[in-house]
Amino acid sequence: MVTEEPPAARAAALVEPEPAGAEDLEVEAARQTAIAVERTRRSWFGRIATIFERSQIDDTLWEELEELLIAADVGVETTEEVIAYVKDVVRKEGLKQPEEAREVLKDELEDILLSVDDKGALWGSGGQAVAPPAVILVVGVNGVGKTTSIAKLANLFKRDGERVLLAAADTFRAAAIDQLKLWGERVGVDVIAGRPGSDPGAVVYDAMEAARARKMDVVIVDTAGRLHTKHNLMQELGKIRKVLQGKDPTAPHEVLLVIDATTGQNGLTQARVFTETAGVTSIFLTKLDGTAKGGIVFPICAQLGIPVRFIGTGEKATDIAPFDPRRFVESLFAA
């Protein structure tokens, strides 16, 4: 439970006023997405747009497109699949103009992001009615912005009128507990925490008990970001899952993996490990505004089949946007 209140000015500096209505929220989401992809759009995808301004479709166009997509972190495997598809459509439909091929490319990139099946119980078209509290287990290596992302998500739920509780189950690092408490104070939600080195399962148990007693709508669980061995990761997460399911057999309802977009293909490797060990259902992509290689979104969806749900664009609690595939691709190709 949070016991110390930070100075009001410090908290206010990190939590901006929320938009007032649905239309404002849509405008804000579009603005956040544009911010997130600005560097990528101005660099690699800006150059991709340029190669389709030439007078004809030839081998040079395909070669340059391949180089640029790989450079933008779309990855070799996904790039090859995308280009093969676009070339096939161009051939079958007898397309002659480069701008026509460009539209096929855009459609294919959108389809990659849209075709990923929903995995969890809360988000997407497959979202189900979950008896409160809904439980979100947050995983990811240290340094990716996991704690900040939890705070942003908590703030988003709180904005929508949900009662949120945070569980500091990353007991391996004292700093992780302190950081989550501080963010809890900033966004105005309670944090259940134990002592550094304590059993994370016990923290989760206390959090679930508190959530039921206080009639919370959502519990967000932070976990340790260690990846030195898959065995340790699986063992720790297994304990947490056992505790959660002792309280609610359907929990966790989402396993949210936080990935730092600036790590590029390393982020994809992390995603593979966590998908194998933690049953990841959705992804929060952080620091997208800090890289010119935002193409990492495509191999994550294409190769792992995990949907991106949120993107982070800064350090404030409001620097978050729900991920919209069409909006994302349109922003990449915007003039």
Side-chain angles (χ1 to χ4, degrees):
M1 181 77 178
V2 177
T3 57
E4 181 184 352
E5 289 294 326
R10 180 171 53 153
L14 287 138
V15 185
E16 298 174 336
E18 291 108 6
E23 185 176 347
D24 291 331
L25 295 177
E26 184 67 21
V27 170
E28 177 63 10
R31 186 184 74 84
Q32 292 281 2
T33 302
I35 291 171
V37 303
E38 178 68 13
R39 292 184 64 180
T40 302
R41 182 185 65 79
R42 287 184 175 275
S43 55
W44 303 112
F45 274 84
R47 292 171 63 182
I48 287 171
T50 300
I51 67 173
F52 287 101
E53 294 174 357
R54 60 190 58 179
S55 60
Q56 61 180 354
I57 301 173
D58 55 21
D59 289 342
T60 302
L61 183 148
W62 300 122
E63 290 169 4
E64 291 181 17
L65 179 60
E66 181 178 20
E67 291 175 4
L68 292 172
L69 287 174
I70 292 173
D73 260 344
V74 175
V76 174
E77 181 179 336
T78 303
T79 293
E80 290 177 347
E81 291 173 356
V82 167
I83 291 179
Y85 174 82
V86 176
K87 289 173 75 172
D88 189 53
V89 172
V90 167
R91 178 182 59 81
K92 287 181 177 178
E93 298 187 6
L95 304 182
K96 302 297 183 185
Q97 300 303 316
E99 58 265 29
E100 294 174 315
R102 176 179 177 270
E103 291 306 307
V104 176
L105 172 63
K106 284 180 60 178
D107 289 344
E108 173 61 6
L109 292 176
E110 280 187 13
D111 285 346
I112 287 173
L113 303 181
L114 288 166
S115 62
V116 180
D117 293 332
D118 296 321
K119 308 292 182 184
L122 296 182
W123 299 316
S125 59
Q128 305 164 17
V130 174
V135 180
I136 302 168
L137 188 65
V138 182
V139 299
V141 300
N142 295 328
V144 296
K146 184 156 53 74
T147 308
T148 306
S149 298
I150 290 171
K152 291 177 179 181
L153 193 58
N155 194 57
L156 204 62
F157 276 116
K158 188 181 173 189
R159 183 201 69 192
D160 292 339
E162 306 284 348
R163 292 170 53 83
V164 185
L165 186 69
L166 305 182
D170 182 357
T171 59
F172 184 69
R173 295 183 307 127
I177 298 172
D178 293 340
Q179 188 182 14
L180 193 65
K181 285 182 176 180
L182 180 57
W183 271 112
E185 293 168 351
R186 286 170 173 168
V187 301
V189 300
D190 288 344
V191 178
I192 301 298
R195 287 188 243 176
S198 62
D199 180 9
V203 174
V204 172
Y205 180 90
D206 290 345
M208 292 297 289
E209 288 281 291
R212 291 276 170 82
R214 302 177 198 178
K215 300 187 185 306
M216 292 290 172
D217 299 302
V218 182
V219 176
I220 305 176
V221 182
D222 188 16
T223 63
R226 290 170 289 159
L227 257 187
H228 52 288
T229 72
K230 290 185 184 182
H231 173 73
N232 288 346
L233 176 67
M234 291 179 70
Q235 188 176 45
E236 185 164 302
L237 291 176
K239 287 181 181 178
I240 291 173
R241 278 181 176 274
K242 187 175 181 180
V243 171
L244 288 172
Q245 290 171 359
K247 294 294 182 181
D248 180 351
T250 66
H253 304 103
E254 293 282 349
V255 179
L256 181 64
L257 172 63
V258 181
I259 298 178
D260 180 345
T262 65
T263 61
Q265 294 299 306
N266 285 335
L268 184 62
T269 301
Q270 292 169 18
R272 287 188 191 281
V273 173
F274 277 104
T275 298
E276 292 168 1
T277 58
V280 174
T281 62
S282 50
I283 288 171
F284 191 130
L285 197 61
T286 68
K287 307 177 188 178
L288 192 56
D289 59 318
T291 181
K293 297 185 175 184
I296 188 64
V297 171
F298 299 104
I300 286 173
C301 292
Q303 295 178 37
L304 301 182
I306 306 295
V308 177
R309 292 297 184 201
F310 302 96
I311 53 176
T313 60
E315 294 301 317
K316 294 181 180 178
T318 50
D319 292 336
I320 177 176
F323 183 77
D324 183 291
R326 290 189 175 90
R327 182 189 293 132
F328 181 81
V329 174
E330 284 297 331
S331 296
L332 284 176
F333 284 89

